């Protein structure tokens, strides 16, 4: 069936280094993708999104890359800080306006090593 | 500060009890969602609602029901709690056509069924 998943369940990165979190999806009709961050004891929070007509989008210290050919997206975090420690989820949806359901991946736990 | 509020952070209930999880949002969002979150499985959609008194089954509705009598409130009901319903439950809301900005999540309710 359709699924959204992550390659690695855990990732440890030295403080100050860049982090890359990956996500694979299988629904070729997916046209909108979001990355969420979930800190301990909190609900997921929106980080950045990207539409299928783009292959790259940048925010503050974060970049999302989308490769539709291989159905893969990644989240890059520059100069990671202790506050970046969290679980990161990708989510996808297809069908445009009116289809409000998001399908979430299993999550990657990012740990920043001081 | 806009928010989604879940009435309880932690709940402990006995097997067979009827359990109510309450969620309230103050953003006038049309859509509301209930997810459960389990390690390694990510977020799985239980039920969602596009409007008052409307509800649709998600991916894992068995053993659950919902109620949406008012726009701002979406309740999840465990008709007869079982130990396999021990989980973190997350409520979320969004505007219709607003999925481009993702969902706003509550902080979650950690339910333990003994």
């Amino acid at each position: 069936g359709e699924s959204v998943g992550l390659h690695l369940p855990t990732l440890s990165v030295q403080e100050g280094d860049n982090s890359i979190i990956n996500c694979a999806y299988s629904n070729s009709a997916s046209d909108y993708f979001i990355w969420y961050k979930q800190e301990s004891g909190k609900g997921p929070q929106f980080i950045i999104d990207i539409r299928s007509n783009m292959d790259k989008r940048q925010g503050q210290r974060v970049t999302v890359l989308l490769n539709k050919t291989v159905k893969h997206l990644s989240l890059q975090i520059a100069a990671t800080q202790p506050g970046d420690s969290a679980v990161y989820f990708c989510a996808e949806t297809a069908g445009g306006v009116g289809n409000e359901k998001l399908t979430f991946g299993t999550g990657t736990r990012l740990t920043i090593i001081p | 500060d806009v928010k989604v509020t879940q009435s309880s952070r932690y709940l402990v209930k006995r097997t067979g009890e009827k359990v109510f999880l309450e969620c309230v949002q103050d953003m006038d969002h049309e859509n509301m969602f209930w997810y459960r979150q389990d390690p390694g499985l990510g977020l799985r959609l239980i039920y969602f609602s596009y409007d008052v008194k409307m509800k649709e089954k998600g991916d894992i509705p068995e053993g659950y029901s919902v109620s949406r009598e008012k726009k701002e409130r979406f309740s999840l009901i465990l008709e007869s709690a079982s130990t396999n319903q021990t989980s973190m439950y997350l409520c979320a809301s969004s505007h219709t056509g607003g999925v481009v900005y993702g969902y706003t999540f509550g902080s979650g309710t950690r339910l333990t069924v003994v």
Side-chain angles (χ1 to χ4, degrees):
Chain A
E2 303 290 3
S3 66
V4 176
L6 295 174
H7 292 306
L8 297 173
T10 61
L11 179 65
S12 296
V13 176
Q14 204 77 32
E15 183 178 352
D17 288 351
N18 298 335
S19 302
I20 299 176
I21 301 170
N22 297 304
C23 180
Y25 65 96
S26 57
N27 183 358
S28 58
S30 296
D31 59 4
Y32 179 65
F33 305 87
I34 306 175
W35 281 100
Y36 284 88
K37 174 186 180 182
Q38 185 177 22
E39 296 176 273
S40 180
K42 299 182 179 179
Q45 292 184 299
F46 174 95
I47 303 173
I48 191 168
D49 60 355
I50 189 168
R51 291 203 170 279
S52 58
N53 60 355
M54 304 171 68
D55 54 20
K56 180 180 180 179
R57 190 162 188 225
Q58 288 184 291
Q60 187 176 13
R61 282 201 308 118
V62 295
T63 300
V64 55
L65 299 177
L66 175 62
N67 186 331
K68 295 180 287 294
T69 302
V70 295
K71 298 189 186 70
H72 180 271
L73 74 160
S74 65
L75 176 71
Q76 300 179 2
I77 305 173
T80 51
Q81 304 168 357
D84 294 328
S85 292
V87 176
Y88 291 82
F89 295 93
C90 64
E92 57 90 15
T93 187
V97 172
N99 180 2
E100 308 297 340
K101 287 198 300 177
L102 288 171
T103 299
F104 289 84
T106 54
T108 291
R109 180 174 299 280
L110 177 65
T111 301
I112 308 303
I113 304 167
Chain B
D1 189 22
V2 295
K3 62 175 63 174
V4 175
T5 303
Q6 295 183 230
S7 55
S8 303
R9 291 298 302 272
Y10 300 95
L11 277 178
V12 180
K13 297 293 183 180
R14 294 192 179 278
T15 300
E17 278 193 78
K18 189 169 186 176
V19 181
F20 293 85
L21 303 183
E22 305 288 345
C23 176
V24 177
Q25 51 95 3
D26 64 1
M27 296 164 284
D28 201 35
H29 283 172
E30 296 84 2
N31 310 311
M32 296 189 75
F33 307 83
W34 274 107
Y35 286 86
R36 65 177 282 177
Q37 183 176 26
D38 301 288
L41 297 177
L43 278 71
R44 294 181 291 167
L45 182 63
I46 304 171
Y47 267 97
F48 60 104
S49 170
Y50 286 150
D51 201 351
V52 176
K53 296 190 185 296
M54 294 183 68
K55 60 184 178 183
E56 292 195 34
K57 294 180 180 179
D59 300 319
I60 52 165
E62 295 79 18
Y64 303 94
S65 62
V66 291
S67 172
R68 193 164 181 204
E69 297 296 318
K70 295 183 177 181
K71 188 176 185 180
E72 67 271 18
R73 186 180 297 269
F74 193 35
S75 303
L76 179 69
I77 305 158
L78 285 65
E79 298 291 343
S80 177
S82 64
T83 55
N84 63 12
Q85 292 179 308
T86 292
S87 186
M88 170 68 84
Y89 290 87
L90 287 165
C91 175
S93 70
S94 72
H95 266 308
T96 294
V99 73
V100 295
Y101 301 112
Y103 297 170
T104 301
F105 281 90
S107 295
T109 296
R110 185 166 294 281
L111 173 67
T112 302
V113 182
V114 297

